[in-house]
Amino acid sequence: MSLLSGLMVIGALVHLAQTRQVAAKYPPPGRFVDVGGHRVHILAEGEARGRPTLVWFAGGHTGGYAIHNLHRRMVGQFRSILIDRPGTGWSDVGTFPRTTAKEADEMWAALDAAGEKGPFVLVGHSFGGLLSANMARRHPERVKALILLDATPPDTIVYGPVLGALGDMRRDALFGGLLGLFAIDYEKLKGTPPPPPPVAKLLATIDRELGAPGEAVRELEKSPAAHMASYSIYRELSPAGLASVAWNTVVYDGDLSPLPVFLVAPGDLKEFGTLNEAANAEQREAMRMQRFFAATRERYLATSVNSERVVAPEGTGHNFPYEAPAFVVATVARAALQ
């Protein structure tokens, strides 16, 4: 037991030294506000000029800088805000357990503490879309429009096939946090093989779009606390986990009416047509799965009677905010000004 304690002390000292190095290399670009006794980092730039203020949330459980590629393109036209969710970026980790519902309240508190008045256009990609939808449900009177960039649909988690990638996210976050206590880099330890060419190309596109901010996010979120915060909230991404928080997390049919809701994503149900009766069982199951994922995503359109479907450029996928940023910027500007 004494050996374990000693290793943890050494790990803590190494982590402290690493944290100081990262903080010196990447000082916070914004400012800190107090939310429930914890510091939340917020970067607000640009002038409103009578236009609504944009608030961005990236996919996964990542800091605001993970979507800086879109923020920086909009600052000249709008007031634009990035917030580091607790446990991400420069923000403190906050209290546990982490949940989407809790973070929705914390994000509103951060905007209030920063003196931001709105009205706001909330823009969220993937898991950040689920957060944005929760924020809109809590305070629709403060929201001019909600823009969902292929947001995570809860039905996919509850009714869909078991997704190994979600399990990997939880495992990596947990092991990253636990091993980080001993100053062990889990990513290096597990020796992740190089991604296949299409994924490598996408990652290169994301790195090119983010530049130094992307490097900052990766370094800042290597801490054990950041990993454990991600693990805590990723527990929602399982049938049992989501069921335990469903009422406070799910945004259901009509919950946002008459708020303008824009669902921006690749393709739509029209691409799939009807299931091919001539296909074999394996092909039919694959087709069913494709339709299911598309259909659950489209359910967001039912959250408001004032919803619009926007199809992302052909050839792009779930990460189209990095593959086609000019398209996203134009779409957000149109939605914000109408």
Side-chain angles (χ1 to χ4, degrees):
M1 188 67 177
S2 58
L3 175 61
L4 182 62
S5 299
L7 290 174
M8 291 183 67
V9 170
I10 293 173
L13 293 174
V14 171
H15 169 62
L16 182 61
Q18 291 173 340
T19 299
R20 288 177 175 173
Q21 291 176 354
V22 172
K25 185 177 181 181
Y26 304 107
R31 66 189 182 99
F32 292 103
V33 296
D34 181 86
V35 174
H38 302 281
R39 299 182 312 160
V40 169
H41 177 254
I42 181 170
L43 175 65
E45 298 180 301
E47 300 296 328
R49 300 190 185 94
R51 297 179 169 185
T53 296
L54 310 178
V55 185
W56 305 85
F57 295 101
H61 193 246
T62 56
Y65 252 33
I67 203 164
H68 189 270
N69 65 314
L70 301 177
H71 164 82
R72 68 170 179 259
R73 285 174 163 88
M74 301 298 276
V75 167
Q77 306 175 59
F78 295 86
R79 184 159 182 77
S80 183
I81 297 176
L82 301 176
I83 311 176
D84 291 339
R85 305 163 71 156
T88 75
W90 287 271
S91 289
D92 292 342
V93 72
T95 57
F96 286 80
R98 305 306 309 160
T99 65
T100 295
K102 175 187 285 188
E103 293 195 355
D105 288 333
E106 290 170 334
M107 296 300 94
W108 281 122
L111 290 169
D112 290 340
E116 298 293 338
K117 302 299 182 183
F120 300 101
V121 172
L122 305 180
V123 190
H125 175 226
S126 194
F127 199 37
L130 182 60
L131 173 64
S132 299
N134 270 259
M135 290 179 64
R137 182 173 64 79
R138 281 163 170 73
H139 289 286
E141 75 283 359
R142 304 182 64 180
V143 181
K144 172 71 162 50
L146 172 66
I147 305 175
L148 302 174
L149 307 178
D150 208 1
T152 299
D155 281 1
T156 298
I157 310 302
V158 176
Y159 302 113
V162 175
L163 299 176
L166 297 181
D168 291 345
M169 288 167 57
R170 293 191 295 272
R171 180 204 63 204
D172 290 351
L174 177 60
F175 287 174
L178 294 177
L179 293 178
L181 295 174
F182 303 95
I184 299 173
D185 189 327
Y186 174 65
E187 291 297 320
K188 292 182 179 179
L189 182 67
K190 72 175 184 176
T192 305
V199 176
K201 182 179 179 181
L202 173 61
L203 294 176
T205 299
I206 294 174
D207 281 344
R208 183 175 64 252
E209 274 296 314
L210 292 180
E215 182 182 353
V217 168
R218 283 192 292 273
E219 290 298 320
L220 289 163
E221 295 178 358
K222 281 184 176 180
S223 72
H227 276 105
M228 294 311 295
S230 292
Y231 170 68
S232 181
I233 201 166
Y234 286 161
R235 293 178 70 183
E236 290 181 357
L237 301 181
S238 68
L242 188 57
S244 67
V245 296
W247 180 247
N248 291 320
T249 303
V250 172
V251 180
Y252 209 66
D253 298 11
D255 275 351
L256 302 180
S257 289
L259 182 71
V261 173
F262 297 82
L263 174 61
V264 190
D268 58 29
L269 281 175
K270 297 176 184 176
E271 293 185 357
F272 299 98
T274 58
L275 292 177
N276 185 354
E277 295 182 2
N280 61 38
E282 184 176 342
Q283 291 172 326
R284 286 180 60 80
E285 185 65 13
M287 293 168 63
R288 178 189 178 223
M289 191 178 301
Q290 289 176 336
R291 283 187 61 84
F292 172 80
F293 286 133
T296 54
R297 177 178 62 204
E298 303 300 312
R299 283 293 300 274
Y300 274 114
L301 292 172
T303 60
S304 175
V305 294
N306 188 12
S307 63
E308 178 181 335
R309 179 63 159 89
V310 182
V311 179
E314 186 177 356
T316 61
H318 176 64
N319 286 303
F320 68 90
Y322 304 97
E323 299 171 299
F327 159 78
V328 176
V329 165
T331 300
V332 170
R334 176 177 69 85
L337 296 177
Q338 74 175 30

